[in-house]
Amino acid sequence: MTDTAYTKQKKFQIKYLAAWEKQKRGAIHDHIVLFKLPYLPHSQLVQTWGHGIIGINRIDIDALKIEVDM
């Protein structure tokens, strides 16, 4: 599936959280959390993004709830 094939199949809004920070050398570093998107292999994300390194981490909502409740 290409990066636009999914959007052509269904109408949807991308739900996300984003934050940026300025590194010591002056470059901008982004953190973005995307919700309810289909799985894309890391190689396809790197090719689609095209602007450098991509890190993918799973967010464990249940673990976050436990930490907040304590």
Side-chain angles (χ1 to χ4, degrees), residues 2 8 18 22-23 25 31 33 37 41 44 52 56 58 67:
T2 65
K8 290 179 182 177
K22 197 171 190 179
Q23 297 176 339
R25 63 186 174 97
H31 297 269
V33 178
L37 288 180
Q44 187 173 354
I56 302 170
R58 181 177 180 188
E67 287 181 24

Side-chain angles (χ1 to χ4, degrees), residues 4-33:
T4 58
Y6 185 77
T7 59
K8 290 179 182 177
Q9 292 175 2
K10 300 178 180 181
K11 289 185 180 182
F12 71 98
Q13 291 181 337
I14 296 176
K15 294 182 181 183
Y16 67 94
L17 294 173
W20 64 270
E21 61 183 312
K22 197 171 190 179
Q23 297 176 339
K24 290 178 184 178
R25 63 186 174 97
I28 300 296
H29 178 82
D30 295 303
H31 297 269
I32 302 171
V33 178

Side-chain angles (χ1 to χ4, degrees), residues 28-47:
I28 300 296
H29 178 82
D30 295 303
H31 297 269
I32 302 171
V33 178
L34 301 170
F35 298 94
K36 296 185 180 181
L37 288 180
Y39 172 79
L40 293 174
H42 183 264
S43 59
Q44 187 173 354
L45 287 173
V46 170
Q47 181 180 3

